[in-house]
Amino acid sequence: MYTQEFLEKLKQQEQDLRFASFDLEDAYTLGTMLRDAGKKEPEPIAVRVVLDDLAVYQSFLPGTGLSNSQWMDRKYATVCHSRHSSLRAAVERELDGIREPWQSDEEQFAFCGGGFPLVIDGKFRGAVIVSGLPHLDDHRCLTDTLAEFIKNKK
């Protein structure tokens, strides 16, 4: 299903969607932008922003709930373990096979789109997570909104 070209695109997104600075106000603004973007999608989404191990923003649109929260937990675990997007972790697992034990633990980790690393001043500091759409759409909604946020922040 995935290609090496798609993996390279994901790697480039991770290079492009980084922050020179990011604080609690930024987390609120980004989270709110994601929530607003979710209102325009065909299905509702849940949003979480985690900075330095603290969930600093979380919102559930009507129609989302515990299942979305559990998906976000697993996507967050994947991003934290891999330091990459949860979609990149899925693509690498498919293209390269399971190379480490954590890659076969689907109870703790989610190998799908919707989790993205929060890299600030070159350091991994957390993740931005959405859940509610088909996983490639979760990734698209998330990365499109991150790109818009970064563009507006400059």
Side-chain angles (χ1 to χ4, degrees):
M1 176 173 159
Y2 300 118
T3 64
Q4 191 65 36
E5 181 181 4
F6 185 62
L7 176 60
E8 294 306 316
K9 177 184 173 189
L10 296 175
K11 289 178 179 180
Q12 188 60 53
Q13 280 182 332
E14 290 180 8
Q15 292 301 311
D16 294 342
L17 301 177
R18 293 174 172 233
F19 299 89
S21 64
F22 190 89
D23 59 21
L24 295 176
E25 290 295 326
D26 292 325
Y28 180 82
T29 301
L30 176 58
T32 302
M33 286 176 68
L34 282 162
R35 186 179 195 281
D36 290 344
K39 290 179 179 178
K40 298 172 188 164
E41 294 291 341
E43 299 291 329
I45 66 169
V47 177
R48 185 181 298 158
V49 180
V50 180
L51 178 62
D52 297 327
D53 296 319
L54 180 65
V56 295
Y57 182 95
Q58 186 164 273
S59 179
F60 292 82
L61 289 174
T64 61
L66 180 60
S67 175
N68 300 98
S69 182
Q70 292 167 338
W71 274 104
M72 289 192 297
D73 291 344
R74 293 171 47 223
K75 291 176 185 186
Y76 177 67
T78 303
V79 172
C80 286
H81 192 88
S82 68
R83 300 295 201 252
H84 299 297
S85 73
S86 55
L87 182 55
R88 178 174 169 180
V91 171
E92 288 178 339
R93 185 175 86 154
E94 182 175 302
L95 293 178
D96 300 335
I98 294 174
R99 295 185 172 195
E100 299 177 40
W102 74 275
Q103 291 177 304
S104 60
D105 184 355
E106 295 192 16
E107 289 183 23
Q108 299 296 318
F109 300 98
F111 298 93
C112 58
F116 203 87
L118 195 53
V119 177
I120 306 161
D121 193 27
K123 297 177 185 81
F124 176 82
R125 300 271 306 277
V128 184
I129 309 115
V130 300
S131 173
L133 302 170
H135 84 104
L136 293 176
D137 290 329
D138 273 348
H139 183 83
R140 174 198 44 78
C141 179
L142 178 54
T143 55
D144 286 354
T145 305
L146 276 167
E148 180 184 349
F149 176 84
I150 290 169
K151 178 183 165 191
N152 292 340
K153 188 171 163 76
K154 291 181 179 178

